[in-house]
Amino acid sequence: MRRLAALALLLALLPLGAAGCWDRQELNELGIISATGVDVTESGRWKLSYQLVIPSAISAQGSYVGTGHAPVNVFTTEGDSFRGAVSKATQEMSRRLYFAHNQVVIVGEAAARKGIAELIEAYMRNGDSRETVMMFVTEGSARLVLEQLLPMEKISGAGIVRLITQEEKQGGNFRQMTVFDVAQELLSPIRTTGVPGIGLSGSDEPVDTVDAAKMTHTGAKVRLQKLGVFKEDRLVGWLSTHETRGLMWVKGKERETTVSFGCPDARLKRNSIRLKQVRTQVIPTRKPDGGWLMRVKAEAAGTLLEYNCKGALDKPADLLELELRIAQELKSDMEDGIKASQRLGTDLTGFGNELRLRYPKEWKALEQEWNDRLFPQLETQLDVAVSIVRTGRSNGSYEQAAEDSRGKE
Amino acid sequence: MSKPEGISAGQIGIFLILFCIGSTPMFELGIDARQDSWIALGAAAIAGLGVLWGYRTLQNRAPEEDLAGLFKLHFGRAIGTALGLAMGLLLAYESMRNVRDFGELTSMTLLPETPIWCVMLLITGIAFYTVTKGVETFFRITQILLPALAGSYVLLLVLLLASGRIEPDRLRPMLENGLGPVLDTAFPDLLAFPFSQTIVLLVYWKYAAASKRAGAASYGAYAVVALFLVAVNAVIMMVLGPAIASIKALPTLEAVELIRLASFIERLDILVTLLLYIGLYVKISALYLASALLLRSACGLPLPAGALMIGPIIYGAAFLEPTNTFHLWLGLELSLKLTPIYQLLLPALMLVMGIGWVKRKAERQRAEGGRAGAGKTGAGKAGGADGAKGGSRSGGEPRSSS
């Protein structure tokens, strides 16, 4: 009898092992989202767009060519609150929205100017939509960007991630900003951040149909362009790509980039070098009159890519003059970046943070007026050193060789 | 004849490490001190070493007694029994807190749809099973768990380093507002939780009474775990920065979530959840077991009976707190102001009033108990020998005369 009772008890306990099944998720019940777009309506409501992956269309080999089905489906819901808008998706989508694979969030300009605090809050609080998604701003509507197909990619959301990863590694103009990074920078003492811009360039013909893949060229292209400048969670302006790169050097975030420079007395910059950042150091110092001076020391090293000037390059002394010229070029890039962010009254350089680390007591008095009054008038002194580590597979330039052979005749 | 329950000094050390880690990395403790939280935690850890010394000194007066026995030695039989029971209940409360933590953690991360009663029932059930198996088994379990826990934390640290997310500047400026706020944060809150929770050792030390090195092992393990906790705290701060660390409910999870390596090592927060599970399991079981052991030595209740009594109390009490916010407020704000009474003041009182005479009293008792009872070698462990197999003998032979 006792054994029977024990057996009955054990059997009763058995289902407990299946407790995890409460949270089962069946793949064929999910709508996997690869990118999200954020816009606002005229009345100020959130308009969220989702790029939904269509599994059957992406299962075939190759890029989006071939299947004849669109690989993604874009749709939009509206709501006063962020998650309120998300929950309305149940009214028009037969699958449960699954955000764990959402990799990109694109914010339209109007929404960015309204403020992204609610977006950050929604991403931080919920476990399913994580703050490791990458954030972009676009000058037009975010939905339009989501609708575009990328030539080499089936899922354009994932393609945009590859785009920015490549850009950060090779191009050196923009770097990835996740929602977390944005939140962290906006919560830092200087309360500013820059978010890479994304937009359409090329012809006005949008690439939102698979028929576009039948041609050898695409109309509009999704392109990284400009930097959206945020201050206290609102978009306050844009920087050009060139200015953004200068700031990357100032902040020490540059990995590798190609810099063009000119020959003496030449207007066009016909030479280029592949530069890697070695070190950047920002040293705030106090001027005798009580103001502040930011000394930026940057070091870069690189390999010549092309050289179309006259003169030999065989002795270290030959390179010296060249290095100075490149350093000058880099310096003016950096200056452009600093000036642009001063123009917007937004400390994108991180100078304020450096100042706080070195002079915590003084910083308390400066903090309130930093972005609006002190930073725009800040004096900077740039000290740039470039070393040409190697000159590639040529020594002197082709130009020089051609001239030498002419001289011999 | 069953072997008396006994554990080694090394086991005590391992237990202490796991117990102190417990759920501590769940929270960014000392966040009120902002980027100096690690200094606050370090200061509390140093003070905690003093507390540990106090506990150990108490234990040395009567190596074969546990907390309930020490209460009886210091305050007499009646008050001692009452205090022992009260302490048992307080430890059960602490265990309950961890059960609730376990439930909340699961709902927040792994199983949001699963009802919390089910999660908490499972963990309480596992803890109950552990407790019925007794001290030796539990300490062996901690030995098995340590390598997994230590290895995983090291792995996470390496990955965080590799991901380049660690920014030492986030700890600066150090002592921005002076030492005042840091010390305010450290005392009494951080001293009370996690460091003064080592009071459970006063229940377990007696099972290692045969080992001469139990004290040294405890100090060593404490130093290791204190360093570890301070390091984890500092690393999380270096990753998140004070602003984000203060708004996130589970900062460690947040920090680890940021790891993205080689496009496939990401979302490691699940790993952290599993590590926290190990820590919480050890803590729940340790406090539950300690509570049952105190019940046994305070009023002779056999261990399985005690476990059966306390289990439902722990499980039921976990539902008394209406919300997680209330749970966290009660645990990390309110009860930290109260726990020092029994974790610090009461032991301090015993420490002072018992100088000299308690040790002699304990020795006299042991001598008497030794003559009356199990003989020379068994006497030391007699208090712990019962209960393992149903506890038919009355608990605490050495204390039978007063």
Side-chain angles (χ1 to χ4, degrees), chain A residues 16-17 19-23 99-103 123-125 127-128 130-134 161 178 180-181 183-184 187-188 253 354 356-358 360 363-364, chain B residues 35 108 110-115 117-118 121-122 165 167 169-170 172-173 176-177 238-244 247-248 254 257-260 267-270:
Chain A
L16 279 177
C21 297
W22 255 297
D23 281 277
F99 282 93
H101 291 277
N102 181 21
Q103 306 201 49
Y123 272 91
M124 295 271 253
R125 193 174 291 282
D128 57 348
R130 305 196 189 190
E131 51 268 45
T132 46
V133 298
M134 281 168 205
V161 172
T178 61
F180 176 85
D181 294 324
Q184 197 169 42
L187 287 173
S188 79
K253 300 283 185 194
E354 296 292 333
R356 171 171 169 269
L357 290 183
R358 235 167 244 247
W363 170 254
K364 280 182 187 154
Chain B
Q35 69 266 34
M108 234 186 297
L110 291 183
L111 305 170
E113 300 291 326
T114 308
W117 65 259
C118 183
L121 184 64
L122 281 168
R165 281 275 170 188
E167 187 76 69
D169 273 349
R170 298 217 172 91
R172 293 171 57 208
E176 194 176 12
N177 299 309
M238 282 190 276
V239 173
L240 297 182
I244 291 201
I247 57 170
K248 291 304 284 194
E254 178 70 23
E257 198 178 304
L258 297 172
I259 298 176
R260 292 173 69 107
R267 312 245 154 121
L268 294 172
D269 41 337
I270 299 303

Coordinates of all heavy atoms in Angstrom, one line a residue, chain A residues 16-17 19-23 99-103 123-125 127-128 130-134 161 178 180-181 183-184 187-188 253 354 356-358 360 363-364, chain B residues 35 108 110-115 117-118 121-122 165 167 169-170 172-173 176-177 238-244 247-248 254 257-260 267-270:
Chain A
L16 N 6.1 17.9 -13.5 CA 6.9 19.0 -13.1 C 8.1 19.2 -14.0 O 8.6 20.2 -14.3 CB 7.3 18.9 -11.7 CG 6.3 19.4 -10.6 CD1 6.8 19.2 -9.2 CD2 5.9 20.8 -10.8
G17 N 8.6 18.0 -14.5 CA 9.8 18.0 -15.3 C 9.5 18.7 -16.6 O 10.4 19.2 -17.3
A19 N 7.9 21.5 -16.9 CA 7.5 22.8 -16.6 C 8.0 23.8 -17.6 O 7.3 24.8 -17.9 CB 7.9 23.2 -15.2
G20 N 9.1 23.6 -18.2 CA 9.7 24.5 -19.2 C 8.8 24.7 -20.4 O 9.0 25.6 -21.2
C21 N 8.0 23.7 -20.6 CA 7.2 23.7 -21.9 C 6.1 24.9 -21.9 O 5.5 25.1 -22.9 CB 6.5 22.4 -22.1 SG 7.6 21.1 -22.3
W22 N 6.0 25.5 -20.8 CA 5.1 26.7 -20.8 C 5.7 27.7 -21.7 O 4.9 28.5 -22.3 CB 5.0 27.3 -19.4 CG 3.8 27.0 -18.7 CD1 2.5 27.5 -19.0 CD2 3.6 26.3 -17.5 NE1 1.6 27.0 -18.1 CE2 2.2 26.3 -17.1 CE3 4.5 25.6 -16.6 CZ2 1.7 25.7 -16.0 CZ3 3.9 25.0 -15.5 CH2 2.6 25.1 -15.2
D23 N 7.0 27.7 -21.9 CA 7.6 28.8 -22.7 C 8.0 28.3 -24.0 O 8.9 28.9 -24.6 CB 8.8 29.3 -21.9 CG 8.4 30.3 -20.8 OD1 8.1 31.5 -21.2 OD2 8.2 29.9 -19.7
F99 N 11.3 39.3 -31.7 CA 12.3 40.4 -31.8 C 13.8 40.0 -31.6 O 14.7 40.8 -31.7 CB 12.0 41.5 -30.8 CG 10.9 42.4 -31.3 CD1 9.5 42.2 -31.0 CD2 11.1 43.4 -32.2 CE1 8.5 43.0 -31.4 CE2 10.1 44.2 -32.7 CZ 8.8 44.0 -32.3
A100 N 13.9 38.7 -31.1 CA 15.3 38.3 -30.7 C 16.3 38.4 -31.8 O 17.5 38.6 -31.6 CB 15.3 36.9 -30.1
H101 N 15.8 38.4 -33.1 CA 16.8 38.4 -34.2 C 16.8 39.8 -34.9 O 17.3 40.0 -35.9 CB 16.5 37.3 -35.2 CG 16.8 36.0 -34.7 ND1 18.1 35.5 -34.7 CD2 16.1 35.1 -34.1 CE1 18.1 34.3 -34.2 NE2 16.9 34.0 -33.8
N102 N 16.1 40.7 -34.2 CA 16.1 42.1 -34.8 C 17.5 42.7 -34.6 O 18.0 42.7 -33.5 CB 15.1 42.9 -34.0 CG 15.0 44.3 -34.4 OD1 15.3 44.6 -35.6 ND2 14.5 45.2 -33.6
Q103 N 18.1 43.1 -35.7 CA 19.5 43.6 -35.6 C 19.6 45.0 -35.8 O 20.7 45.6 -35.5 CB 20.3 42.8 -36.7 CG 20.1 41.4 -36.6 CD 21.3 40.6 -37.3 OE1 22.4 40.9 -37.0 NE2 20.9 39.7 -38.1
Y123 N 13.7 49.4 -25.3 CA 14.7 48.4 -25.6 C 15.4 47.9 -24.3 O 15.8 46.8 -24.2 CB 15.7 48.9 -26.6 CG 15.3 48.6 -28.0 CD1 14.6 49.6 -28.7 CD2 15.6 47.4 -28.6 CE1 14.2 49.4 -30.0 CE2 15.2 47.2 -29.9 CZ 14.5 48.2 -30.6 OH 14.1 47.9 -31.9
M124 N 15.5 48.8 -23.3 CA 16.2 48.4 -22.1 C 15.4 47.6 -21.2 O 15.9 46.7 -20.5 CB 16.6 49.7 -21.3 CG 17.6 50.6 -22.0 SD 19.3 50.1 -21.6 CE 19.7 51.4 -20.6
R125 N 14.1 47.8 -21.2 CA 13.3 47.1 -20.2 C 12.9 45.7 -20.6 O 12.6 44.9 -19.8 CB 12.0 48.0 -19.9 CG 11.2 47.5 -18.7 CD 10.1 48.5 -18.4 NE 10.5 49.8 -17.9 CZ 10.9 50.0 -16.7 NH1 10.9 49.0 -15.8 NH2 11.3 51.2 -16.3
G127 N 13.2 42.0 -22.3 CA 14.2 41.0 -22.6 C 14.2 40.5 -24.0 O 15.2 40.1 -24.5
D128 N 13.1 40.7 -24.8 CA 13.1 40.1 -26.1 C 13.7 41.0 -27.1 O 14.5 40.6 -28.0 CB 11.6 39.7 -26.5 CG 10.7 40.9 -26.5 OD1 11.1 41.9 -25.9 OD2 9.6 40.8 -27.0
R130 N 16.5 43.4 -27.7 CA 17.7 43.8 -26.8 C 18.3 45.0 -27.3 O 18.2 45.4 -28.5 CB 18.6 42.6 -26.9 CG 18.0 41.4 -26.4 CD 18.9 40.3 -26.1 NE 18.1 39.1 -25.9 CZ 18.6 38.0 -25.4 NH1 19.9 37.9 -25.1 NH2 17.9 36.9 -25.3
E131 N 19.1 45.6 -26.4 CA 19.7 46.9 -26.7 C 21.0 46.7 -27.5 O 21.7 47.7 -27.7 CB 19.9 47.7 -25.4 CG 20.6 47.0 -24.3 CD 19.6 46.3 -23.4 OE1 18.7 45.7 -23.8 OE2 19.8 46.4 -22.2
T132 N 21.3 45.5 -27.9 CA 22.5 45.3 -28.7 C 22.1 45.5 -30.2 O 23.0 45.3 -31.1 CB 23.1 43.9 -28.5 OG1 22.0 43.0 -28.6 CG2 23.8 43.8 -27.2
V133 N 20.9 45.9 -30.5 CA 20.6 46.2 -31.9 C 21.3 47.5 -32.3 O 21.5 48.4 -31.5 CB 19.0 46.4 -32.2 CG1 18.3 45.2 -31.8 CG2 18.5 47.6 -31.4
M134 N 21.6 47.6 -33.6 CA 22.3 48.7 -34.1 C 21.3 49.8 -34.5 O 20.3 49.5 -35.1 CB 23.2 48.3 -35.3 CG 24.4 47.7 -34.7 SD 25.3 46.9 -36.0 CE 26.2 45.7 -35.0
V161 N 23.7 45.4 -41.2 CA 24.7 45.2 -40.1 C 26.1 44.9 -40.7 O 27.1 45.4 -40.3 CB 24.2 44.0 -39.3 CG1 25.3 43.6 -38.3 CG2 23.0 44.3 -38.5
T178 N 25.2 50.7 -31.0 CA 24.0 50.0 -30.6 C 23.1 50.9 -29.7 O 23.6 52.0 -29.3 CB 24.4 48.8 -29.8 OG1 25.1 49.2 -28.6 CG2 25.3 47.8 -30.6
F180 N 22.4 50.4 -26.9 CA 23.1 50.5 -25.6 C 24.2 51.6 -25.6 O 24.3 52.4 -24.7 CB 23.8 49.1 -25.3 CG 24.6 49.2 -24.0 CD1 24.0 49.0 -22.8 CD2 25.9 49.4 -24.1 CE1 24.7 49.1 -21.6 CE2 26.7 49.5 -22.9 CZ 26.1 49.3 -21.7
D181 N 25.0 51.6 -26.7 CA 26.0 52.6 -26.8 C 25.4 54.0 -26.8 O 25.9 54.9 -26.1 CB 26.8 52.5 -28.1 CG 27.6 51.2 -28.2 OD1 28.1 50.8 -27.1 OD2 27.7 50.6 -29.2
A183 N 22.6 54.9 -25.5 CA 22.1 55.2 -24.1 C 23.3 55.6 -23.2 O 23.2 56.5 -22.4 CB 21.4 54.0 -23.5
Q184 N 24.3 54.8 -23.3 CA 25.5 55.0 -22.5 C 26.1 56.4 -22.7 O 26.4 57.1 -21.8 CB 26.5 54.0 -22.7 CG 27.6 53.9 -21.6 CD 28.4 52.6 -21.8 OE1 28.8 52.3 -22.9 NE2 28.7 52.0 -20.7
L187 N 23.9 59.2 -21.4 CA 23.8 59.3 -20.0 C 25.2 59.7 -19.4 O 25.3 59.9 -18.2 CB 23.5 57.9 -19.4 CG 22.0 57.5 -19.5 CD1 21.8 56.1 -19.0 CD2 21.1 58.4 -18.7
S188 N 26.2 59.9 -20.3 CA 27.5 60.3 -19.8 C 27.4 61.8 -19.4 O 26.4 62.5 -19.8 CB 28.5 60.1 -20.9 OG 28.5 61.1 -21.8
K253 N 38.8 56.5 -32.1 CA 38.0 55.3 -32.5 C 38.3 54.8 -33.9 O 37.7 53.9 -34.4 CB 36.5 55.7 -32.4 CG 36.0 56.1 -31.1 CD 35.8 54.9 -30.2 CE 35.2 55.4 -28.8 NZ 35.4 54.3 -27.8
E354 N 37.0 63.9 -20.8 CA 38.4 64.0 -20.5 C 38.7 65.0 -19.4 O 39.4 64.8 -18.5 CB 39.3 64.3 -21.7 CG 39.2 63.3 -22.8 CD 39.9 61.9 -22.4 OE1 40.8 62.0 -21.5 OE2 39.5 60.9 -22.9
R356 N 36.6 66.1 -17.2 CA 36.0 65.6 -16.0 C 36.9 64.6 -15.3 O 37.1 64.6 -14.1 CB 34.7 64.9 -16.2 CG 34.1 64.3 -15.0 CD 32.7 63.8 -15.2 NE 32.2 62.9 -14.2 CZ 32.4 61.6 -14.2 NH1 32.9 61.0 -15.3 NH2 31.9 60.9 -13.2
L357 N 37.6 63.7 -16.1 CA 38.5 62.8 -15.5 C 39.7 63.4 -14.9 O 40.2 63.0 -13.8 CB 38.9 61.7 -16.6 CG 37.8 60.8 -17.1 CD1 38.4 59.8 -18.0 CD2 37.2 60.1 -15.9
R358 N 40.1 64.5 -15.5 CA 41.4 65.1 -15.0 C 41.1 66.2 -13.9 O 41.9 66.3 -13.0 CB 42.2 65.7 -16.1 CG 43.6 65.1 -16.1 CD 44.2 65.5 -17.4 NE 44.5 64.2 -18.2 CZ 45.7 63.8 -18.4 NH1 46.7 64.5 -18.0 NH2 45.9 62.7 -19.1
P360 N 38.0 66.7 -11.9 CA 36.7 66.4 -11.4 C 36.0 67.6 -10.7 O 34.8 67.9 -10.8 CB 36.8 65.2 -10.6 CG 38.2 65.0 -10.4 CD 39.0 65.7 -11.4
W363 N 35.1 70.5 -13.0 CA 34.1 70.1 -14.0 C 32.7 70.4 -13.5 O 31.8 70.7 -14.2 CB 34.3 68.6 -14.3 CG 33.1 68.0 -15.1 CD1 32.1 67.2 -14.6 CD2 32.8 68.3 -16.5 NE1 31.2 66.9 -15.6 CE2 31.6 67.6 -16.8 CE3 33.4 69.1 -17.5 CZ2 31.0 67.6 -18.0 CZ3 32.8 69.1 -18.7 CH2 31.6 68.4 -19.0
K364 N 32.5 70.2 -12.2 CA 31.2 70.4 -11.6 C 30.7 71.8 -11.9 O 29.5 72.0 -12.1 CB 31.2 70.2 -10.1 CG 31.2 68.7 -9.8 CD 31.2 68.4 -8.4 CE 31.3 66.9 -8.2 NZ 31.9 66.5 -7.0
Chain B
Q35 N 30.6 55.2 -9.3 CA 31.7 54.5 -9.8 C 32.6 54.0 -8.7 O 33.6 53.2 -9.0 CB 32.5 55.4 -10.8 CG 33.2 56.6 -10.2 CD 32.4 57.8 -10.3 OE1 31.2 57.8 -10.2 NE2 33.0 59.0 -10.5
M108 N 12.2 36.7 -15.4 CA 12.7 37.8 -16.1 C 13.5 37.4 -17.3 O 13.6 38.1 -18.3 CB 13.6 38.6 -15.1 CG 13.2 40.1 -15.1 SD 14.3 41.0 -14.1 CE 14.1 40.3 -12.5
L110 N 14.6 33.5 -18.5 CA 14.5 32.2 -19.2 C 13.1 31.9 -19.6 O 12.7 31.6 -20.7 CB 15.2 31.1 -18.5 CG 16.7 31.1 -18.4 CD1 17.2 29.9 -17.7 CD2 17.3 31.2 -19.8
L111 N 12.2 31.9 -18.6 CA 10.9 31.4 -18.7 C 9.8 32.4 -18.4 O 9.2 32.3 -17.3 CB 10.7 30.1 -17.9 CG 11.7 29.0 -18.1 CD1 11.6 27.9 -17.0 CD2 11.6 28.4 -19.5
P112 N 9.6 33.4 -19.2 CA 8.6 34.4 -18.8 C 7.2 33.9 -18.7 O 6.4 34.5 -17.9 CB 8.8 35.5 -19.9 CG 9.5 34.8 -21.0 CD 10.3 33.7 -20.4
E113 N 6.9 32.9 -19.4 CA 5.5 32.4 -19.4 C 5.2 31.5 -18.2 O 4.0 31.3 -17.8 CB 5.1 31.8 -20.7 CG 5.2 32.6 -21.9 CD 4.2 33.7 -21.9 OE1 3.1 33.5 -21.5 OE2 4.5 34.8 -22.4
T114 N 6.2 30.8 -17.8 CA 6.0 29.8 -16.7 C 5.6 30.4 -15.4 O 6.3 31.4 -15.0 CB 7.3 29.0 -16.5 OG1 7.8 28.5 -17.8 CG2 7.1 27.8 -15.6
P115 N 4.6 29.9 -14.8 CA 4.1 30.6 -13.5 C 5.2 30.4 -12.5 O 5.9 29.4 -12.4 CB 2.9 29.8 -13.1 CG 2.8 28.6 -14.0 CD 3.6 28.9 -15.2
W117 N 5.0 30.1 -9.3 CA 4.8 29.0 -8.3 C 5.5 27.7 -8.7 O 6.0 27.0 -7.9 CB 3.3 28.8 -8.0 CG 2.5 28.3 -9.1 CD1 1.7 29.0 -9.9 CD2 2.4 26.9 -9.6 NE1 1.0 28.2 -10.9 CE2 1.5 26.9 -10.6 CE3 2.9 25.7 -9.1 CZ2 1.1 25.7 -11.3 CZ3 2.6 24.5 -9.8 CH2 1.7 24.5 -10.9
C118 N 5.5 27.5 -10.0 CA 6.0 26.2 -10.4 C 7.6 26.2 -10.3 O 8.2 25.3 -9.8 CB 5.6 26.0 -11.9 SG 6.2 24.5 -12.6
L121 N 8.4 26.1 -6.7 CA 8.2 24.8 -6.2 C 9.3 23.8 -6.5 O 9.8 23.0 -5.7 CB 6.9 24.2 -6.7 CG 6.4 22.9 -6.2 CD1 6.1 23.0 -4.7 CD2 5.2 22.4 -6.9
L122 N 9.8 23.9 -7.7 CA 10.8 23.0 -8.2 C 12.1 23.3 -7.4 O 12.7 22.3 -6.9 CB 11.1 23.2 -9.7 CG 10.1 22.5 -10.6 CD1 10.3 23.0 -12.0 CD2 10.3 21.0 -10.5
R165 N 35.0 45.7 -24.3 CA 33.9 46.5 -23.7 C 34.4 47.1 -22.3 O 33.7 47.9 -21.8 CB 32.7 45.6 -23.4 CG 31.9 45.4 -24.6 CD 30.9 46.6 -24.8 NE 30.3 46.6 -26.1 CZ 29.5 47.6 -26.5 NH1 29.4 48.7 -25.8 NH2 28.9 47.6 -27.7
E167 N 36.2 49.4 -20.0 CA 36.8 50.7 -20.1 C 37.2 51.2 -18.7 O 36.3 51.7 -18.0 CB 35.7 51.6 -20.7 CG 36.2 53.0 -21.1 CD 37.0 53.1 -22.4 OE1 36.5 52.8 -23.4 OE2 38.2 53.3 -22.2
D169 N 38.4 53.8 -17.6 CA 38.0 55.2 -17.3 C 36.7 55.3 -16.6 O 36.4 56.3 -15.9 CB 38.0 56.0 -18.6 CG 39.4 56.5 -18.9 OD1 40.3 56.4 -18.0 OD2 39.6 57.0 -20.0
R170 N 35.8 54.3 -16.7 CA 34.5 54.4 -16.1 C 34.6 54.4 -14.6 O 33.6 54.7 -13.9 CB 33.6 53.3 -16.6 CG 33.4 53.4 -18.1 CD 32.0 53.0 -18.6 NE 31.9 53.4 -20.0 CZ 32.1 52.5 -20.9 NH1 32.5 51.3 -20.6 NH2 32.0 52.8 -22.2
R172 N 36.7 56.2 -13.0 CA 37.2 57.5 -12.6 C 36.2 58.5 -12.8 O 35.2 58.3 -13.5 CB 38.4 57.8 -13.5 CG 39.6 56.9 -13.3 CD 40.7 57.1 -14.3 NE 41.2 58.5 -14.4 CZ 41.6 59.1 -15.5 NH1 41.7 58.5 -16.6 NH2 42.0 60.4 -15.4
P173 N 36.2 59.7 -12.1 CA 37.2 60.0 -11.1 C 36.9 59.2 -9.8 O 35.8 59.2 -9.4 CB 37.0 61.5 -10.9 CG 35.7 61.8 -11.5 CD 35.3 60.8 -12.4
E176 N 35.0 60.8 -6.2 CA 34.6 62.1 -6.7 C 34.1 63.0 -5.6 O 34.3 64.2 -5.6 CB 33.6 61.9 -7.9 CG 33.4 63.1 -8.7 CD 32.4 62.8 -9.8 OE1 31.8 61.8 -9.8 OE2 32.3 63.7 -10.7
N177 N 33.3 62.4 -4.8 CA 32.6 63.2 -3.7 C 33.2 62.9 -2.3 O 32.6 63.0 -1.3 CB 31.1 63.0 -3.7 CG 30.5 63.4 -5.0 OD1 30.7 64.5 -5.5 ND2 29.8 62.5 -5.6
M238 N 33.0 48.9 -15.1 CA 33.9 49.3 -16.2 C 33.2 49.1 -17.5 O 33.5 49.7 -18.5 CB 35.2 48.6 -16.2 CG 36.2 49.1 -15.2 SD 37.8 48.4 -15.3 CE 37.7 46.9 -14.4
V239 N 32.3 48.1 -17.5 CA 31.5 47.9 -18.8 C 30.3 48.8 -18.9 O 30.1 49.4 -20.0 CB 31.1 46.4 -18.8 CG1 30.2 46.2 -20.0 CG2 32.3 45.5 -18.9
L240 N 29.6 48.9 -17.9 CA 28.3 49.6 -18.0 C 28.4 51.1 -17.7 O 27.7 51.9 -18.3 CB 27.3 49.0 -17.1 CG 26.9 47.6 -17.3 CD1 25.8 47.1 -16.3 CD2 26.4 47.4 -18.7
G241 N 29.3 51.5 -16.8 CA 29.3 52.9 -16.3 C 28.2 53.0 -15.2 O 27.2 52.3 -15.2
P242 N 28.4 54.0 -14.3 CA 27.4 54.2 -13.2 C 26.0 54.4 -13.6 O 25.1 53.9 -13.0 CB 28.0 55.3 -12.4 CG 29.0 56.0 -13.3 CD 29.5 55.0 -14.3
A243 N 25.8 55.2 -14.7 CA 24.4 55.6 -15.0 C 23.6 54.4 -15.4 O 22.5 54.2 -14.9 CB 24.4 56.6 -16.2
I244 N 24.1 53.5 -16.3 CA 23.3 52.4 -16.7 C 23.3 51.3 -15.7 O 22.2 50.7 -15.5 CB 23.9 51.8 -18.1 CG1 23.6 52.9 -19.1 CG2 23.3 50.5 -18.4 CD1 23.7 52.4 -20.5
I247 N 20.3 51.8 -13.4 CA 19.0 51.6 -13.8 C 18.6 50.1 -14.2 O 17.5 49.8 -14.3 CB 18.5 52.5 -15.0 CG1 19.4 52.3 -16.2 CG2 18.5 53.9 -14.6 CD1 18.9 53.0 -17.5
K248 N 19.6 49.3 -14.4 CA 19.4 48.0 -14.8 C 19.1 47.1 -13.6 O 19.7 47.2 -12.5 CB 20.5 47.4 -15.6 CG 20.7 48.0 -16.9 CD 19.5 47.9 -17.8 CE 19.2 46.6 -18.4 NZ 18.2 46.6 -19.5
E254 N 23.3 42.3 -18.1 CA 23.4 43.4 -19.1 C 24.8 43.4 -19.7 O 25.0 43.5 -20.9 CB 23.0 44.7 -18.4 CG 23.2 45.9 -19.3 CD 22.1 45.9 -20.4 OE1 21.0 45.3 -20.2 OE2 22.3 46.6 -21.4
E257 N 25.6 40.5 -21.9 CA 24.8 40.5 -23.1 C 25.5 41.3 -24.2 O 25.3 41.1 -25.4 CB 23.4 41.2 -22.8 CG 22.3 41.0 -23.7 CD 21.1 41.7 -23.3 OE1 20.6 41.4 -22.1 OE2 20.5 42.5 -24.0
L258 N 26.4 42.2 -23.8 CA 27.0 43.1 -24.8 C 28.2 42.4 -25.5 O 28.7 42.9 -26.5 CB 27.6 44.3 -24.1 CG 26.6 45.2 -23.4 CD1 27.3 46.3 -22.6 CD2 25.7 45.8 -24.5
I259 N 28.5 41.2 -25.0 CA 29.6 40.5 -25.7 C 29.2 40.0 -27.0 O 28.2 39.4 -27.2 CB 30.1 39.3 -24.8 CG1 30.6 39.7 -23.5 CG2 31.1 38.4 -25.6 CD1 30.9 38.5 -22.6
R260 N 29.9 40.5 -28.0 CA 29.6 40.0 -29.4 C 30.9 39.7 -30.0 O 31.7 40.6 -30.3 CB 28.9 41.1 -30.2 CG 27.5 41.3 -29.8 CD 27.0 42.5 -30.6 NE 26.8 42.2 -32.0 CZ 25.6 42.0 -32.5 NH1 24.5 42.1 -31.8 NH2 25.5 41.7 -33.8
R267 N 24.8 36.9 -26.9 CA 23.7 36.5 -26.0 C 24.1 35.5 -24.9 O 23.5 34.4 -24.8 CB 22.5 35.9 -26.8 CG 22.2 36.8 -28.0 CD 20.8 37.3 -27.8 NE 20.7 38.5 -28.6 CZ 19.8 38.7 -29.5 NH1 19.0 37.8 -29.8 NH2 19.8 39.9 -30.1
L268 N 25.2 35.8 -24.3 CA 25.7 34.9 -23.2 C 25.0 35.1 -21.9 O 25.4 34.4 -20.9 CB 27.2 35.0 -23.1 CG 28.1 34.6 -24.3 CD1 29.5 35.0 -24.1 CD2 28.0 33.1 -24.5
D269 N 24.0 35.9 -21.9 CA 23.3 36.2 -20.6 C 22.7 34.9 -20.1 O 22.5 34.8 -18.9 CB 22.3 37.3 -20.8 CG 21.5 37.2 -22.0 OD1 22.0 36.6 -23.0 OD2 20.4 37.8 -22.1
I270 N 22.4 34.0 -21.0 CA 21.8 32.7 -20.5 C 22.8 32.0 -19.6 O 22.5 31.4 -18.6 CB 21.5 31.8 -21.7 CG1 20.5 32.5 -22.7 CG2 21.1 30.4 -21.3 CD1 19.2 32.8 -22.0

